[in-house]
Amino acid sequence: MIRRKDQMKTEERPQMRGGEGVIHAYQLLEPADLCGKANLCAILTVDPGCSIGEHAHGPDAEIYYVLEGQLEASDNGEQTVLHPGDAMFTAQGKTHSVRNTGDQPAKILAVVIA
């Protein structure tokens, strides 16, 4: 299956997972395209001052891969800073969140594995 750039949509997700501001989700693939193997495959833009709130995964899991910018992250309660090229995996039953405290937008590839 091929999905062309002109077939992809951007959605605005206000207060995503209880976070602050609006997250812009550029859907690379739709859930129906993923054959039940994943629920999300998108590039998320986190503008300065915005965040994705702390949330748990289960029975699914999520991968974040930082493409641009930097984000303060909570990985199951442990605080860290993510930079371009860093990846974070949140397994079933674990929690995570991210916040952009910088002055430039941050972009992450997010994949929620079913």
Side-chain angles (χ1 to χ4, degrees), residues 13 15-20 40 42 44 46 51-58 60-66 71-80 82 86-99 108-113:
R13 298 186 176 190
Q15 291 82 43
M16 189 171 176
R17 300 290 193 152
E20 297 175 5
L40 175 76
L44 305 180
V46 184
S51 65
I52 300 171
E54 186 85 18
H55 62 282
H57 279 272
D60 59 11
E62 187 165 22
I63 299 167
Y64 284 165
Y65 177 76
V66 181
L71 295 163
E72 289 185 1
S74 173
D75 179 25
N76 208 40
E78 184 177 327
Q79 303 301 313
T80 191
L82 300 175
D86 291 344
M88 180 167 65
F89 178 71
T90 305
Q92 298 172 339
K94 305 296 182 182
T95 64
H96 67 152
S97 66
V98 293
R99 172 179 306 280
I108 56 175
L109 172 63
V111 179
V112 175
I113 304 164

